[in-house]
Protein backbone atom coordinates (compact mmCIF):
# COMPACT_ATOMS: atom_id res chain seq x y z
CA UNK A 1 0.00 0.00 0.00
CA UNK A 2 1.40 3.48 -0.85
CA UNK A 3 2.10 5.87 2.03
CA UNK A 4 -1.13 7.50 3.10
CA UNK A 5 -1.50 11.25 3.58
CA UNK A 6 -1.50 12.71 7.10
CA UNK A 7 -5.18 13.64 6.72
CA UNK A 8 -6.17 10.07 5.78
CA UNK A 9 -4.15 8.67 8.68
CA UNK A 10 -5.85 11.09 11.08
CA UNK A 11 -9.27 9.90 9.91
CA UNK A 12 -8.39 6.22 10.18
CA UNK A 13 -6.99 6.68 13.67
CA UNK A 14 -10.06 8.65 14.80
CA UNK A 15 -12.45 6.06 13.34
CA UNK A 16 -10.57 3.26 15.10
CA UNK A 17 -10.54 5.04 18.46
CA UNK A 18 -14.23 5.97 18.39
CA UNK A 19 -15.24 2.51 17.18
CA UNK A 20 -13.33 0.95 20.10
CA UNK A 21 -14.86 3.39 22.58
CA UNK A 22 -18.45 2.93 21.42
CA UNK A 23 -18.46 -0.57 19.93
CA UNK A 24 -20.53 0.76 17.02
CA UNK A 25 -20.16 2.25 13.56
CA UNK A 26 -18.88 5.83 13.69
CA UNK A 27 -21.13 8.68 12.61
CA UNK A 28 -20.05 11.92 10.95
CA UNK A 29 -20.92 14.07 13.99
CA UNK A 30 -18.59 12.09 16.28
CA UNK A 31 -15.78 12.22 13.73
CA UNK A 32 -16.25 15.95 13.15
CA UNK A 33 -16.06 16.61 16.91
CA UNK A 34 -12.98 14.42 17.38
CA UNK A 35 -11.10 15.95 14.44
CA UNK A 36 -12.30 19.54 14.85
CA UNK A 37 -13.67 19.83 11.31
CA UNK A 38 -17.09 20.35 9.75
CA UNK A 39 -19.51 17.49 9.11
CA UNK A 40 -19.43 18.40 5.42
CA UNK A 41 -15.66 17.86 5.38
CA UNK A 42 -16.10 14.52 7.11
CA UNK A 43 -18.72 13.38 4.59
CA UNK A 44 -16.44 14.27 1.70
CA UNK A 45 -13.47 12.42 3.14
CA UNK A 46 -15.54 9.32 3.96
CA UNK A 47 -16.75 9.12 0.37
CA UNK A 48 -13.15 9.39 -0.80
CA UNK A 49 -11.98 6.65 1.58
CA UNK A 50 -14.85 4.31 0.71
CA UNK A 51 -14.13 4.65 -3.02
CA UNK A 52 -10.32 4.35 -2.74
CA UNK A 53 -8.75 1.22 -4.31
CA UNK A 54 -7.16 0.34 -0.94
CA UNK A 55 -10.70 -0.22 0.48
CA UNK A 56 -9.80 1.25 3.86
CA UNK A 57 -13.36 1.74 5.12
CA UNK A 58 -16.93 0.70 4.47
CA UNK A 59 -19.41 3.54 4.67
CA UNK A 60 -23.17 3.36 4.38
CA UNK A 61 -25.16 6.58 4.42
CA UNK A 62 -27.10 7.00 7.71
CA UNK A 63 -25.38 3.87 9.09
CA UNK A 64 -21.91 5.24 9.83
CA UNK A 65 -18.45 4.05 8.91
CA UNK A 66 -16.28 1.11 9.96
CA UNK A 67 -12.72 0.20 9.13
CA UNK A 68 -11.95 -2.63 6.76
CA UNK A 69 -8.93 -4.83 7.68
CA UNK A 70 -6.54 -2.66 5.63
CA UNK A 71 -7.84 0.47 7.31
CA UNK A 72 -7.50 -1.08 10.76
CA UNK A 73 -3.88 -2.08 10.08
CA UNK A 74 -3.09 1.45 8.90
CA UNK A 75 -4.80 2.99 11.94
CA UNK A 76 -2.88 0.75 14.34
CA UNK A 77 0.42 1.62 12.65
CA UNK A 78 -0.28 5.34 13.15
CA UNK A 79 -1.22 4.71 16.78
CA UNK A 80 2.01 2.73 17.26
CA UNK A 81 4.02 5.64 15.86
CA UNK A 82 2.18 8.12 18.08
CA UNK A 83 2.62 6.21 21.33
CA UNK A 84 6.25 5.30 20.68
CA UNK A 85 7.04 8.94 19.92
CA UNK A 86 5.34 10.02 23.14
CA UNK A 87 7.38 7.49 25.12
CA UNK A 88 10.59 8.61 23.43
CA UNK A 89 9.95 12.29 24.08
CA UNK A 90 9.36 11.65 27.79
CA UNK A 91 12.17 9.13 28.32
CA UNK A 92 14.92 10.52 26.11
CA UNK A 93 14.18 14.23 25.86
CA UNK A 94 12.61 15.00 29.23
CA UNK A 95 9.21 16.18 28.04
CA UNK A 96 6.35 16.19 30.53
CA UNK A 97 3.49 13.77 29.94
CA UNK A 98 1.25 16.79 29.28
CA UNK A 99 3.52 18.10 26.49
CA UNK A 100 3.90 15.15 24.14
CA UNK A 101 0.49 14.61 22.50
CA UNK A 102 0.69 17.63 20.20
CA UNK A 103 4.28 16.85 19.18
CA UNK A 104 3.43 13.20 18.49
CA UNK A 105 0.43 14.23 16.38
CA UNK A 106 2.88 15.75 13.89
CA UNK A 107 5.72 13.25 14.09
CA UNK A 108 3.53 10.14 13.78
CA UNK A 109 3.02 10.90 10.08
CA UNK A 110 6.64 11.35 9.06
CA UNK A 111 8.79 8.79 10.85
CA UNK A 112 9.89 5.78 8.82
CA UNK A 113 9.43 2.15 9.84
CA UNK A 114 13.21 1.92 10.37
CA UNK A 115 13.13 4.91 12.72
CA UNK A 116 10.12 3.43 14.52
CA UNK A 117 12.11 0.22 15.08
CA UNK A 118 15.08 2.22 16.43
CA UNK A 119 12.84 4.06 18.90
CA UNK A 120 11.26 0.82 20.08
CA UNK A 121 14.67 -0.82 20.56
CA UNK A 122 16.08 2.21 22.37
CA UNK A 123 13.14 2.16 24.80
CA UNK A 124 13.36 -1.59 25.36
CA UNK A 125 10.21 -2.35 23.36
CA UNK A 126 7.73 -0.83 25.81
CA UNK A 127 4.17 -2.13 25.95
CA UNK A 128 2.58 1.20 26.95
CA UNK A 129 3.09 4.93 26.49
CA UNK A 130 3.51 7.55 29.28
CA UNK A 131 -0.26 7.76 29.72
CA UNK A 132 -0.64 4.00 30.12
CA UNK A 133 -2.13 3.43 26.66
CA UNK A 134 -0.99 0.11 25.14
CA UNK A 135 1.38 0.32 22.17
CA UNK A 136 0.31 -1.83 19.20
CA UNK A 137 2.73 -4.59 18.23
CA UNK A 138 4.68 -4.34 14.98
CA UNK A 139 2.31 -5.44 12.23
CA UNK A 140 -0.85 -4.11 13.85
CA UNK A 141 -2.02 -6.13 16.84
CA UNK A 142 -3.44 -4.48 19.93
CA UNK A 143 -5.15 -6.11 22.88
CA UNK A 144 -7.98 -4.11 24.37
CA UNK A 145 -7.24 -3.02 27.97
CA UNK A 146 -9.21 -4.82 30.67
CA UNK A 147 -10.19 -1.76 32.67
CA UNK A 148 -13.10 0.57 33.50
CA UNK A 149 -13.61 4.29 33.82
CA UNK A 150 -13.02 5.69 37.29
CA UNK A 151 -16.58 7.02 36.98
CA UNK A 152 -17.88 3.46 37.31
CA UNK A 153 -15.92 2.41 40.42
CA UNK A 154 -18.07 1.81 43.50
CA UNK A 155 -17.49 3.31 46.93
CA UNK A 156 -15.11 1.13 48.95
CA UNK A 157 -13.37 -0.37 45.94
CA UNK A 158 -9.61 -0.19 45.56
CA UNK A 159 -8.21 0.27 42.06
CA UNK A 160 -5.01 1.00 40.18
CA UNK A 161 -4.82 3.67 37.48
CA UNK A 162 -4.16 1.93 34.17
CA UNK A 163 -4.33 4.75 31.62
CA UNK A 164 -5.38 8.37 31.15
CA UNK A 165 -6.60 10.18 28.04
CA UNK A 166 -3.78 12.27 26.57
CA UNK A 167 -5.92 14.81 24.70
CA UNK A 168 -6.17 17.52 27.41
CA UNK A 169 -2.84 18.93 28.68
CA UNK A 170 -4.52 20.82 31.54
CA UNK A 171 -6.16 17.62 32.78
CA UNK A 172 -2.80 15.83 32.68
CA UNK A 173 -1.14 18.66 34.61
CA UNK A 174 -3.86 18.49 37.26
CA UNK A 175 -3.73 14.71 37.59
CA UNK A 176 0.06 14.92 37.80
CA UNK A 177 -0.21 17.32 40.73
CA UNK A 178 -2.55 14.87 42.47
CA UNK A 179 -0.22 11.95 41.73
CA UNK A 180 -2.91 10.11 39.75
CA UNK A 181 -0.73 8.58 37.06
CA UNK A 182 -0.59 5.03 35.68
CA UNK A 183 0.19 2.38 38.34
CA UNK A 184 -1.02 4.61 41.21
CA UNK A 185 -3.37 2.76 43.56
CA UNK A 186 -6.37 4.54 45.04
CA UNK A 187 -9.48 4.02 47.18
CA UNK A 188 -12.90 5.42 46.28
CA UNK A 189 -14.09 6.74 49.63
CA UNK A 190 -17.40 8.42 48.74
CA UNK A 191 -19.68 9.45 45.92
CA UNK A 192 -21.76 12.60 46.16
CA UNK A 193 -25.45 12.31 45.20
CA UNK A 194 -27.09 13.62 42.03
CA UNK A 195 -24.16 12.75 39.79
CA UNK A 196 -21.80 14.66 42.07
CA UNK A 197 -18.04 14.16 42.37
CA UNK A 198 -16.29 10.93 43.30
CA UNK A 199 -13.95 11.15 46.30
CA UNK A 200 -10.67 9.26 45.96
CA UNK A 201 -7.66 8.77 48.20
CA UNK A 202 -4.37 7.78 46.55
CA UNK A 203 -2.34 5.16 48.41
CA UNK A 204 0.37 6.77 50.52
CA UNK A 205 -1.53 10.05 50.82
CA UNK A 206 -3.69 11.49 53.59
CA UNK A 207 -5.48 13.68 51.05
CA UNK A 208 -8.91 12.90 49.61
CA UNK A 209 -9.77 14.52 46.29
CA UNK A 210 -13.24 15.24 44.90
CA UNK A 211 -13.19 14.57 41.14
CA UNK A 212 -16.00 15.51 38.78
CA UNK A 213 -17.15 13.38 35.87
CA UNK A 214 -15.21 15.54 33.41
CA UNK A 215 -12.11 14.05 35.05
CA UNK A 216 -13.22 10.55 36.01
CA UNK A 217 -14.48 9.74 32.49
CA UNK A 218 -10.90 10.20 31.21
CA UNK A 219 -9.21 8.09 33.90
CA UNK A 220 -9.25 4.29 33.50
CA UNK A 221 -8.51 1.84 36.30
CA UNK A 222 -8.30 -1.85 37.09
CA UNK A 223 -10.32 -2.95 40.11
CA UNK A 224 -8.08 -4.61 42.71
CA UNK A 225 -10.35 -5.24 45.71
CA UNK A 226 -13.72 -4.56 47.27
CA UNK A 227 -14.02 -2.39 50.36
Amino acid sequence: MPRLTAAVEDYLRAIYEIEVETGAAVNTAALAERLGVSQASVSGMLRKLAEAPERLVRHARYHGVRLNPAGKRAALEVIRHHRLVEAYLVTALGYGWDEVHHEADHLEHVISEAFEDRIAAFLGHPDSDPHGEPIPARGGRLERPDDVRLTDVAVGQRARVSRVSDRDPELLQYLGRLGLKPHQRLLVTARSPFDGPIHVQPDGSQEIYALGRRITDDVFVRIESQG
Side-chain angles (χ1 to χ4, degrees), residues 149-157 174 178 180 186-193 195-201 208-217 219 221:
R149 295 182 189 274
L150 181 54
T151 303
D152 301 322
V153 179
V155 174
Q157 287 186 321
Y174 180 66
L178 302 187
L180 293 176
L186 57 85
L187 170 68
V188 175
T189 63
R191 181 185 293 269
S192 298
D195 205 25
I198 294 173
H199 301 257
V200 304
Q201 182 178 21
I208 295 177
Y209 304 109
L211 305 178
R213 185 159 190 164
R214 166 66 185 83
I215 296 173
T216 60
D217 274 356
V219 177
V221 301

Side-chain angles (χ1 to χ4, degrees), residues 9 23 40 58 60 69 71 76 91 104 114-115 125 134 142 168 191 195 200 202-203 205 209 211 221:
E9 290 182 339
R58 55 187 187 277
L76 286 170
T91 301
F115 189 53
H125 301 284
L142 179 63
D168 187 340
R191 181 185 293 269
D195 205 25
V200 304
D203 276 13
S205 172
Y209 304 109
L211 305 178
V221 301

Side-chain angles (χ1 to χ4, degrees), residues 74-224:
L76 286 170
E77 185 61 26
V78 177
I79 292 170
R80 176 174 168 81
H81 285 186
H82 183 95
R83 294 177 182 174
L84 280 172
V85 167
E86 287 191 334
Y88 180 78
L89 292 174
V90 168
T91 301
L93 301 183
Y95 277 70
W97 76 329
D98 58 299
E99 300 175 303
V100 294
H101 179 70
H102 182 69
E103 298 284 1
D105 268 348
H106 295 292
L107 293 171
E108 68 189 24
H109 302 298
V110 298
I111 67 172
S112 66
E113 304 309 304
F115 189 53
E116 168 203 313
D117 289 341
R118 291 288 186 97
I119 291 175
F122 174 83
L123 296 172
H125 301 284
D127 55 14
S128 62
D129 72 8
H131 312 98
E133 293 285 1
I135 296 174
R138 191 79 160 86
R141 180 175 51 81
L142 179 63
E143 295 198 13
R144 191 168 181 177
D146 180 22
D147 53 19
V148 298
R149 295 182 189 274
L150 181 54
T151 303
D152 301 322
V153 179
V155 174
Q157 287 186 321
R158 292 188 177 276
R160 183 196 294 262
V161 177
S162 56
R163 56 192 174 102
V164 179
S165 171
D166 67 354
R167 289 193 291 270
D168 187 340
E170 291 185 3
L171 172 63
L172 292 171
Q173 292 167 14
Y174 180 66
L175 292 173
R177 291 196 295 272
L178 302 187
L180 293 176
K181 288 189 170 186
H183 310 300
Q184 174 64 51
R185 289 187 172 94
L186 57 85
L187 170 68
V188 175
T189 63
R191 181 185 293 269
S192 298
F194 307 109
D195 205 25
I198 294 173
H199 301 257
V200 304
Q201 182 178 21
D203 276 13
S205 172
Q206 299 300 313
E207 299 291 334
I208 295 177
Y209 304 109
L211 305 178
R213 185 159 190 164
R214 166 66 185 83
I215 296 173
T216 60
D217 274 356
D218 276 352
V219 177
F220 294 81
V221 301
R222 290 187 175 92
I223 307 298
E224 293 201 331

